[in-house]
Amino acid sequence: MIYADNKVTDVKIAYIGGGSHGWAWTFMTDLARESAISGTIRLYDIDMEAAKNNECIAKRLFRRDDVVGKWDFTTVGSLQEALTGADFVLISILPGTFEEMQSDVHYPERYGIYQSVGDTSGPGGLLRALRTIPMYVEIANAIKKYSKDAWVINYTNPMTLCVKTLYHVFPEIKAFGCCHEVFGTQKILRNICELTTGIKGIERNEIFVNVLGINHFTWFDQASYKGIDLFPIYRKFIEESFEEGYHDPDRNWANGTFNCAHRVKFDLFQKFGLIAAAGDRHLAEFLPGDWYLKDPETVKSWKFALTTVEQRKVTQKERNERAVRLMNGEEDIELKPTGEEGIMLIKALCGLGRVVSNVNIPNTNGQIPNLPNTAVVETNAVFERNSIKPVVSGRLPEGIRDLIMPHVEDHEMILEAALTCDFELALKAFTSDPLVKGKLSEADARELLTAMIRNTIKYLPEGFKKYI
């Protein structure tokens, strides 16, 4: 990297999963709007054609007159090519295909187990982790070999286990996980504040929060806007609107399976006194199945949805069609703010400012003192030149800690099970997950896990084949 005139040039970024039709386009948009850093993006993907398509889309974008960023994009054929000399590494991959996800999310429904996302916890989260962890072992080893000093940003789910694997393989790695679920809860607090106080024009990042928890099961124990404590405002809004919920005008729960009315958040606030800071679809999966995911009717009563894999396939088809239009010049990427902070964090790490944001990193500095230091936790951290300093967020209330600890313990078992191809250990984690615990007999649990492993065996290590 070259520093001059408050700009950083010749930044080298390796993008693993560079054929993405989600994060990659978001990343391009943010790069196009930023003039303080420039350099080269190396796109690597096992689907090389998808990466080349993104290279074409990016080159069209960066030739536009309204683009201020200056970046070259190139597709490479190996991790070594992507990583050698990289300053930053982005990882955004889909472990497996939607066929594997179909099994992850919907096969357990045959046994009365419902999942609203299926990529982080529950049966789906476990199977996705078993596929993902071996991939991350390979990635971590390659980073250690070819770019050991690079900053590594993970966007892949299951976030916690992806980050945990990177540190397990390469303890000195400079990796962190980024997730926008906290941003969504800040926006809700902003909107409720505007509705109830009459203040207009509040920016999302003006809502100051203390973040503590694990990814997709995060909490705020403090939230304020310019000295205004938002907890009383939030509490009063819930008292008045609990049954109706909060309806985001842009994301009404009735108009899409990715949306919600935030009634799960409201209920958790009434139960525990802290603000749950993730989407209701994610939050529900960390809790006992009879709370919010007992059956489709219960889900509907809480005003969120079971996001089907068929819906994801429809979305992917639409993105594939859009990719063709973008490549052919029939459509342009709109240069509007994406709401993501990846570029801000990269700038801060390059020395262009100081940023406080929520990240997923190991609890080795005791950010949450009453969770194990081996856990990967989500808290705020301070980003400055070549430095991330995690914020000590404080202790979790015991009631919330009791909900989080089974998942922390499961993460340890799932990581070891994936690394050693240990079916019995995977089964132990499977049956102790709150969505499964007490719901199945031992025989049914074994039968279900065996079937799910069989359905995704193409993406699992050889050691699991003996169990099917």
Side-chain angles (χ1 to χ4, degrees), residues 6-223:
N6 205 32
K7 291 186 177 182
V8 182
T9 59
D10 197 29
V11 180
K12 298 177 181 66
I13 299 177
Y15 195 133
I16 301 173
S20 158
H21 288 169
W23 282 113
W25 295 349
T26 299
F27 190 58
M28 288 178 197
T29 303
D30 288 337
L31 287 173
R33 301 178 69 251
E34 178 55 61
S35 62
I37 55 174
S38 60
T40 302
I41 313 291
R42 302 169 189 158
L43 302 172
Y44 170 74
D45 202 297
I46 58 172
D47 183 347
M48 197 169 196
E49 183 180 356
K52 287 182 175 179
N53 290 345
N54 272 350
E55 179 185 343
C56 176
I57 291 167
K59 286 181 175 178
R60 284 198 71 257
L61 172 63
F62 281 82
R63 285 197 298 265
R64 283 167 43 180
D65 292 338
D66 57 342
V67 168
V68 298
K70 298 185 184 301
W71 291 87
D72 293 323
F73 285 75
T74 182
T75 302
V76 298
S78 68
L79 281 173
Q80 179 178 352
E81 286 182 88
L83 294 170
T84 300
D87 301 301
F88 295 91
V89 180
L90 271 63
I91 314 174
S92 173
I93 66 173
L94 175 65
T97 71
F98 283 125
E99 296 310 311
E100 283 71 37
M101 190 183 291
Q102 185 91 29
S103 172
D104 293 350
V105 176
H106 298 301
Y107 203 92
E109 291 172 0
R110 304 182 185 193
Y111 294 77
I113 298 170
Y114 294 91
Q115 300 168 97
S116 37
V117 185
D119 70 357
T120 298
S121 58
L126 185 148
L127 267 295
R128 187 178 173 107
L130 294 182
R131 292 196 299 274
T132 309
I133 288 168
M135 299 177 188
Y136 269 64
V137 170
E138 179 183 358
I139 291 169
N141 277 320
I143 291 169
K144 182 178 182 179
K145 186 173 183 179
Y146 301 116
S147 53
K148 63 183 179 64
D149 294 322
W151 285 101
V152 181
I153 309 175
N154 179 66
Y155 288 103
T156 305
N157 289 325
M159 172 68 72
T160 300
L161 277 162
C162 289
V163 174
K164 194 172 183 67
T165 303
L166 293 173
Y167 277 91
H168 176 84
V169 174
F170 180 20
E172 293 79 25
I173 198 169
K174 299 190 299 187
F176 58 96
C178 284
C179 179
H180 58 203
E181 291 294 316
V182 162
F183 303 164
T185 307
Q186 285 176 298
K187 290 175 183 176
I188 293 162
L189 290 173
R190 173 200 64 191
N191 295 348
I192 290 174
C193 184
E194 289 187 343
L195 279 172
T196 57
T197 66
I199 300 170
K200 301 299 180 186
I202 301 174
E203 297 293 333
R204 189 270 302 171
N205 57 11
E206 292 180 302
I207 304 299
F208 292 169
V209 295
N210 187 53
V211 181
L212 63 171
I214 58 176
N215 185 242
H216 291 158
F217 201 41
T218 41
W219 301 77
F220 299 158
D221 63 357
Q222 297 175 28

